[in-house]
Amino acid sequence: MTEELKNYLQLHFVVLIWGLTAILGLLINVSAVAVVFYRTLFSTIILLGLLLLWKKSFKVEFKEFFKIIGVGLIIGLHWILFFAAARVSTASVCLVGIATCSFWTSLIEPLMSSRKIKIYELLLGILVVLGLYIIFRLEFQYIEGLIMAIVAAMLASVFTVLNGKLTHKHNHYVITFYEMMGACLSSLLFIPLYLYYFDTEIVNFIPNQLDWVYLLLLAGICTVLAFSMSVKIQKVLSAFVVNLTVNLEPVYGIVLAFAIFGEKEKMSAGFYLGTAIILLSVLSYPLINRVVKRRALQSDIIR
């Protein structure tokens, strides 16, 4: 098995785990911002224990520390919007909105890395927008949740691109540790705003017994394991490839959501048509990328 194939398989495993995230978010009874607070707090504690056990150095330069914490703040806001989107719509709608990551990355990555925009990446991103347009028209009652998920996807593309740069300088567990710390801070800063605009009762911040189990799964499996693996994978695969593969999250998530929630997750035929168009961009990318690379190689040989 080649190293590249190994990384692709690991990436799909990570996406499968992330497919559970929206479902766990719906099963947990506390508010969206509280889910993010507990998730990131537990993740920070678990990572601290692992880094101490493995005797890994926490040392990063002062400037780099604030960069990583800043990325963590973005991650925290992304997760708050992600869970809120699932609450005001459905897990399926939320996951489809997140699938716009590749579109945002096709625009954001070139701007942040000073490379040219690849036309085929932009076209695949537009294909995602077409799928979303169909869903918007036919599932308008979920527009609030879909917009939240799309904004969450934009934030995800930003922190994925930034992580792609950080992975070449620091250990992926150290990066995740400080980012979870930043995300926890982000959720704390958001709590007063949440209480003012959405809920005046602090009771929605206190988990019940079953919530603690789901929160630990969310922190240990979906965050420490999956997120750390995704950061490590970015040492090899580009941000666009990572986010394009994350578009498969709706497939895994929708199947799991339907299995758990049943008829509540059943959508119109148009929703699945739009989803299919979005996923077509995922399946098309490897083939198009291979053809483009082959032509570029042939052009270099001719020269």
Side-chain angles (χ1 to χ4, degrees):
M1 183 184 292
T2 64
E3 188 66 24
E4 187 177 16
L5 178 59
K6 182 181 176 182
N7 280 285
Y8 272 118
L9 291 175
Q10 287 179 348
L11 179 57
H12 279 277
F13 175 68
V14 167
V15 174
L16 175 62
I17 293 174
W18 282 343
L20 286 168
T21 306
I23 295 168
L24 286 171
L26 287 175
L27 291 171
I28 297 168
N29 291 303
V30 295
S31 62
V33 68
V35 171
V36 177
F37 170 71
Y38 288 116
R39 175 187 190 177
T40 52
L41 177 64
F42 292 162
S43 298
T44 303
I45 294 169
I46 293 169
L47 283 161
L48 176 62
L50 289 174
L51 289 170
L52 289 172
L53 180 66
W54 296 333
K55 297 180 179 179
K56 292 279 187 182
S57 173
F58 292 84
K59 189 177 179 181
V60 294
E61 293 179 10
F62 197 66
K63 186 179 179 181
E64 291 295 301
F65 170 78
F66 281 103
K67 280 184 183 178
I68 300 172
I69 291 292
V71 173
L73 291 172
I74 297 171
I75 292 168
L77 184 55
H78 156 76
W79 278 337
I80 290 169
L81 286 170
F82 176 81
F83 289 118
R87 297 286 176 88
V88 300
S89 56
T90 69
S92 300
V93 170
C94 174
L95 290 166
V96 168
I98 291 298
T100 60
C101 268
S102 60
F103 170 71
W104 293 114
T105 309
S106 69
L107 299 175
I108 292 170
E109 188 176 21
L111 292 173
M112 296 180 71
S113 60
S114 300
R115 73 165 174 85
K116 292 181 179 179
I117 294 176
K118 295 178 181 177
I119 299 300
Y120 66 92
E121 288 185 357
L122 189 59
L123 290 174
L124 289 175
I126 292 171
L127 193 63
V128 170
V129 174
L130 174 61
L132 280 171
Y133 172 72
I134 293 171
I135 294 169
F136 262 124
R137 286 193 62 190
L138 299 172
E139 299 292 345
F140 194 76
Q141 71 270 32
Y142 296 123
I143 189 169
E144 185 182 5
L146 196 52
I147 289 172
M148 282 184 181
I150 290 169
V151 176
M154 182 185 68
L155 293 173
S157 70
V158 171
F159 75 69
T160 303
V161 172
L162 292 173
N163 270 341
K165 296 179 180 180
L166 292 171
T167 54
H168 297 289
K169 298 180 180 179
H170 311 287
N171 177 273
H172 55 284
Y173 282 110
V174 173
I175 291 172
T176 307
F177 169 69
Y178 285 119
E179 285 184 348
M180 290 305 102
M181 193 184 295
C184 188
L185 176 63
S186 181
S187 63
L188 279 173
L189 292 172
F190 194 83
I191 285 174
L193 185 66
Y194 178 87
L195 288 172
Y196 182 79
Y197 283 103
F198 300 105
D199 203 330
T200 56
E201 295 183 15
I202 199 70
V203 68
N204 281 337
F205 286 79
I206 304 171
N208 61 38
Q209 288 183 339
L210 193 56
D211 285 341
W212 290 117
V213 176
Y214 291 142
L215 284 165
L216 285 170
L217 285 173
L218 195 60
I221 305 299
C222 298
T223 309
V224 174
L225 175 63
F227 194 85
S228 297
M229 283 179 68
S230 73
V231 172
K232 183 181 178 182
I233 288 166
Q234 284 184 255
K235 290 182 179 180
V236 181
L237 303 178
S238 73
F240 183 82
V241 172
V242 171
N243 276 334
L244 193 67
T245 307
V246 169
N247 285 349
L248 285 172
E249 188 178 338
V251 176
Y252 301 135
I254 288 169
V255 171
L256 291 169
F258 190 76
I260 294 171
F261 298 116
E263 290 296 316
K264 184 183 176 182
E265 290 293 327
K266 190 174 181 180
M267 311 296 288
S268 67
F271 174 86
Y272 296 110
L273 173 62
T275 302
I277 291 172
I278 291 170
L279 296 175
L280 180 62
S281 68
V282 181
L283 301 174
S284 301
Y285 179 80
L287 178 62
I288 296 171
N289 191 45
R290 192 178 304 167
V291 171
V292 170
K293 282 184 176 180
R294 188 182 300 162
R295 287 183 178 177
L297 183 62
Q298 289 173 348
S299 177
D300 288 340
I301 292 172
I302 292 171
R303 288 176 187 174

